[in-house]
């Protein structure tokens, strides 16, 4: 993970069960590596999002190819 930005949109409280999610929104070259662009969120058990944001993860080699990639 080389970058993470987020915004708190609702509170989370001690004892809350939280679920983190990330969706790959794109892939771009970065020198001899590639970067995955991600939309990230954290939600409480009631489905309310507590945080939203973006992230960039760097990985070596070629990006995945094939159907849906």
């Amino acid at each position: 993970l080389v970058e993470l930005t987020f915004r708190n949109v609702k509170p989370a409280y001690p004892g809350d069960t939280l679920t983190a999610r990330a969706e790959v929104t794109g892939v771009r070259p970065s020198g001899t590596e590639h970067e995955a662009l991600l939309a990230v969120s954290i939600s409480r058990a009631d489905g309310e999002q507590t945080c939203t944001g973006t992230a960039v993860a760097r990985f070596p080699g070629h990006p995945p190819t094939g159907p849906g990639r």
Side-chain angles (χ1 to χ4, degrees):
L1 194 60
V2 295
E3 182 180 313
L4 173 64
T5 59
F6 66 92
R7 185 170 71 96
N8 292 317
V9 294
K10 296 220 175 175
Y13 300 100
D16 281 351
T17 298
L18 303 175
T19 301
R21 296 182 183 266
E23 177 184 349
V24 178
T25 59
V27 177
R28 65 183 181 204
S30 178
T32 60
E33 301 177 316
H34 286 81
E35 294 179 339
L37 311 176
L38 308 165
V40 296
S41 65
I42 299 175
S43 300
R44 296 188 310 235
D46 63 7
E48 290 287 330
Q49 285 191 343
T50 63
C51 294
T52 61
T54 60
V56 178
R58 189 171 295 143
F59 55 95
H62 301 286
T65 59
R69 307 244 189 254

